[in-house]
Amino acid sequence: MSNISKLTWIIETIRRHGRISFEELNDLWMRNVEVSGGVSMSKRTFHKWRQNIIDTFGLYIDCDNSGNYNYYISNIEDVRDNSMEMWLLNTFNVCNSLIENRGMKDRIMLEDIPSGALYLNPIIVAMRNNRRIEIVYHNYVRNDHITHIVDPYFVKLFKRRWYVIAKPHDGDYPHVYSLDRIDNLKVLEETFVYPQEFMPDEFFRYNFGIYTSDRKPERVVVKASAWQACYMRALPIMKETQCEIETDDDFSIFTFTIAPTYDFKQELLRMGDTIEVLEPKWLRKEMKELIGNMKKMYGR
């Protein structure tokens, strides 16, 4: 098993127990032969891995010197839910679980993310070195292929697709490009200056999904059925701005501060008759028209 997998095993074991002594940790380590290979963990190795955990995930494993000498993660709350460190940690935890249980592969079903495998790594390398990239991009609307030279700012994963947000070298604003619509990619020698004032978090702050909108963020109010409300509490549509303002036995009222985009409307349509837009009036009208068009199509 790789060192990164061993690091995530240590993190999850300590996080699961809250506080644990080195002896207890090593005992669990030895019992998990898939991870340890049956080789005991020395204290020297453990302390080296503690430093690696800081460097890789930004997590600090401290020791309680009150007498029990238990180890614990002192800053787990500081790692944001949507941070790269937490995403990596969760991803490697899943990988560890799959490796440990690969004998059950026929009973574990996964989703493929085909767009990330070929071009994600060279794009990230170009980002790291501030190198421009040349892409041959398939436009579905016009059904043609156009070559673009762009400055890659950041990448985003949404609904099984990877996207690169990049500014055309002769343009003023970043555009969104789906990796599975790139037919060819070349990292160029030409460099660009990444604007220090640009903040990827702010780019999609009030937008759900991958599309952006010229509309200013506004208050959206929806009414959800009781069971749909449970899903929305567990997996918020917009975690930072979603707020439940009314709860009843049969329904709940949620508000969002959002610039409604195509992806947001598609997400509401996905919920079918378990959700209703109450405000703003223009969005309620658009949703009504979309549903009416669907009704006409199925009534033919």
Side-chain angles (χ1 to χ4, degrees):
M1 180 172 284
S2 67
N3 280 342
I4 198 74
S5 298
K6 294 173 182 177
L7 300 184
T8 56
W9 182 92
I10 290 172
I11 294 170
E12 277 307 294
T13 303
I14 295 177
R15 185 164 70 165
R16 190 166 57 249
H17 286 78
R19 292 172 183 261
I20 189 172
S21 69
F22 174 77
E23 289 73 22
E24 292 170 328
L25 182 68
N26 191 44
D27 181 60
L28 294 171
W29 169 267
M30 289 295 293
R31 291 184 189 182
N32 194 326
V33 180
E34 288 284 353
V35 177
S36 66
V39 179
S40 178
M41 183 196 315
S42 69
K43 278 196 173 182
R44 180 178 179 181
T45 297
F46 172 62
H47 291 311
K48 181 182 71 173
W49 286 348
R50 284 174 66 192
Q51 184 58 51
N52 290 344
I53 287 170
I54 295 173
D55 297 338
T56 305
F57 299 105
L59 294 173
Y60 290 86
I61 298 176
D62 290 333
C63 181
D64 180 359
N65 295 320
S66 61
N68 295 322
Y69 295 100
N70 288 329
Y71 290 93
Y72 64 99
I73 302 174
S74 60
N75 68 327
I76 190 68
E77 293 81 9
D78 294 341
V79 180
R80 296 179 294 122
D81 289 342
N82 63 341
S83 68
M84 186 180 73
E85 291 86 357
M86 186 56 73
W87 191 87
L88 286 172
L89 181 59
N90 291 335
T91 300
F92 280 117
N93 283 333
V94 172
C95 289
N96 285 349
S97 181
L98 294 178
I99 290 172
E100 292 175 22
N101 298 282
R102 56 181 177 269
M104 299 178 63
K105 61 182 180 181
D106 293 337
R107 297 170 61 184
I108 300 174
M109 301 183 68
L110 305 173
E111 283 191 312
D112 185 26
I113 305 180
S115 65
L118 187 58
Y119 297 124
L120 181 60
N121 188 64
I123 288 175
I124 293 176
V125 170
M127 287 164 50
R128 185 172 65 236
N129 297 306
N130 287 339
R131 299 265 292 275
R132 284 181 171 155
I133 57 175
E134 180 184 278
I135 59 174
V136 179
Y137 197 70
H138 186 183
N139 187 302
Y140 285 166
V141 177
R142 298 191 301 267
N143 194 27
D144 59 10
H145 296 77
I146 298 179
T147 299
H148 302 271
I149 297 177
V150 298
D151 304 343
Y153 280 9
F154 68 101
V155 293
K156 179 176 181 177
L157 178 65
F158 178 69
K159 291 189 180 297
R160 297 178 55 224
R161 281 190 168 94
W162 279 103
Y163 297 84
V164 57
I165 290 73
K167 186 182 77 67
H169 75 102
D170 56 355
D172 297 323
Y173 303 103
H175 293 187
V176 178
Y177 302 92
S178 174
L179 268 62
D180 60 359
R181 289 165 62 182
I182 296 176
D183 289 334
N184 192 34
L185 182 146
K186 183 190 302 181
V187 178
L188 305 177
E189 293 294 330
E190 186 178 356
T191 61
F192 68 95
V193 177
Y194 180 79
Q196 294 302 313
E197 70 279 4
F198 183 83
M199 301 177 65
D201 282 350
E202 291 296 323
F203 192 80
F204 287 111
R205 184 176 182 82
Y206 295 107
N207 293 275
F208 174 82
I210 203 65
Y211 287 94
T212 58
S213 173
D214 292 332
R215 286 183 175 274
K216 292 183 178 181
E218 58 185 303
R219 185 174 184 260
V220 173
V221 184
V222 300
K223 179 180 179 181
S225 67
W227 70 267
Q228 184 64 62
C230 294
Y231 286 102
M232 292 176 65
R233 294 185 199 111
L235 192 63
I237 295 177
M238 293 285 288
K239 185 172 183 179
E240 292 185 357
T241 68
Q242 177 175 304
C243 181
E244 186 171 356
I245 61 172
E246 184 179 343
T247 306
D248 194 84
D249 291 340
D250 299 322
F251 67 88
S252 287
I253 305 293
F254 292 89
T255 66
F256 310 92
T257 301
I258 189 173
T261 60
Y262 172 82
D263 282 331
F264 180 66
K265 286 180 274 190
Q266 290 295 304
E267 183 69 8
L268 296 179
L269 288 173
R270 183 188 65 81
M271 299 181 188
D273 61 358
T274 67
I275 201 161
E276 176 187 0
V277 174
L278 303 180
E279 299 176 20
K281 290 184 179 180
W282 72 264
L283 180 59
R284 180 180 175 87
K285 181 182 178 182
E286 281 197 10
M287 295 299 293
K288 184 178 179 180
E289 290 175 353
L290 287 170
I291 295 168
N293 292 337
M294 292 170 64
K295 184 179 179 181
K296 290 179 183 177
M297 183 171 60
Y298 281 97
R300 292 170 186 166

